[in-house]
Amino acid sequence: MMESQDQDFWNVHSLTLIEMAYEAGSRERLENPDGYGTRTGVCGDSVEFFIMVDHNNCLSNISFDFNGCIYTAACCNTVVCLAQGHSIDNVWNITADMVADYLQTLPEDHYHCAELCVGGFYQALVDYQSKKSIKKD
């Protein structure tokens, strides 16, 4: 039975989802990030996002760590793809729907993984903005 489920995964998912699920280049914990966010979902999966912002107010580095399923990994990587290099102001527009659309075949019963990842990323943005406003004061 397990072999059948594995085969189904490879046959029913988009190449984009499969690539994002197995991409490991952005999975790292940054020391002293400009912004840090973490979130745990109702399913028990957890994500952490680390962001670095350059002098132009653009995301120069985004990384993550997670404890969860392959769909959470795919969603984390998708958030990185959608946000990397963009301005802080623009990345607030990233939504769970955008993540699901990018992945093309995210199962409906794993849509919460997209919500979890976007929420963790937003927490990193909030952390960055609060640190920035403290520096101004």
Side-chain angles (χ1 to χ4, degrees):
M1 181 71 178
M2 185 64 161
E3 188 175 312
S4 171
Q5 287 176 334
D6 288 346
Q7 200 167 13
D8 286 347
F9 177 84
W10 297 102
N11 291 325
V12 301
H13 288 301
S14 68
L15 183 58
T16 303
L17 185 140
I18 293 168
E19 288 173 347
M20 291 294 103
Y22 290 99
E23 171 60 46
S26 295
R27 187 173 182 187
E28 68 174 319
R29 304 175 68 82
L30 295 180
E31 292 294 321
N32 303 312
D34 294 330
Y36 168 79
T38 184
R39 196 156 200 194
T40 300
V42 294
C43 61
D45 287 9
S46 61
V47 298
E48 295 177 279
F49 276 90
F50 307 82
I51 62 171
M52 299 300 288
V53 181
D54 68 19
H55 63 280
N56 292 320
N57 214 31
C58 291
L59 292 165
S60 59
N61 192 0
I62 309 166
S63 66
F64 66 89
D65 200 5
F66 79 102
N67 183 5
C69 72
I70 200 151
Y71 299 112
T72 296
C75 291
C76 283
N77 274 309
T78 300
V79 168
V80 172
C81 284
L82 294 173
Q84 186 73 42
H86 292 278
S87 73
I88 291 290
D89 293 339
N90 288 341
V91 296
W92 281 105
N93 296 326
I94 295 172
T95 65
D97 282 345
M98 290 170 70
V99 171
D101 289 347
Y102 185 88
L103 293 171
Q104 301 164 3
T105 57
L106 183 68
E108 282 184 35
D109 63 340
H110 285 279
Y111 182 81
H112 66 275
C113 299
E115 294 173 322
L116 171 66
C117 295
V118 170
F121 176 66
Y122 282 0
Q123 291 294 328
L125 296 175
V126 168
D127 182 53
Y128 166 72
Q129 289 183 323
S130 68
K131 288 177 180 174
K132 188 176 163 186
S133 67
I134 289 171
K135 284 181 183 175
K136 286 182 181 177
D137 294 341

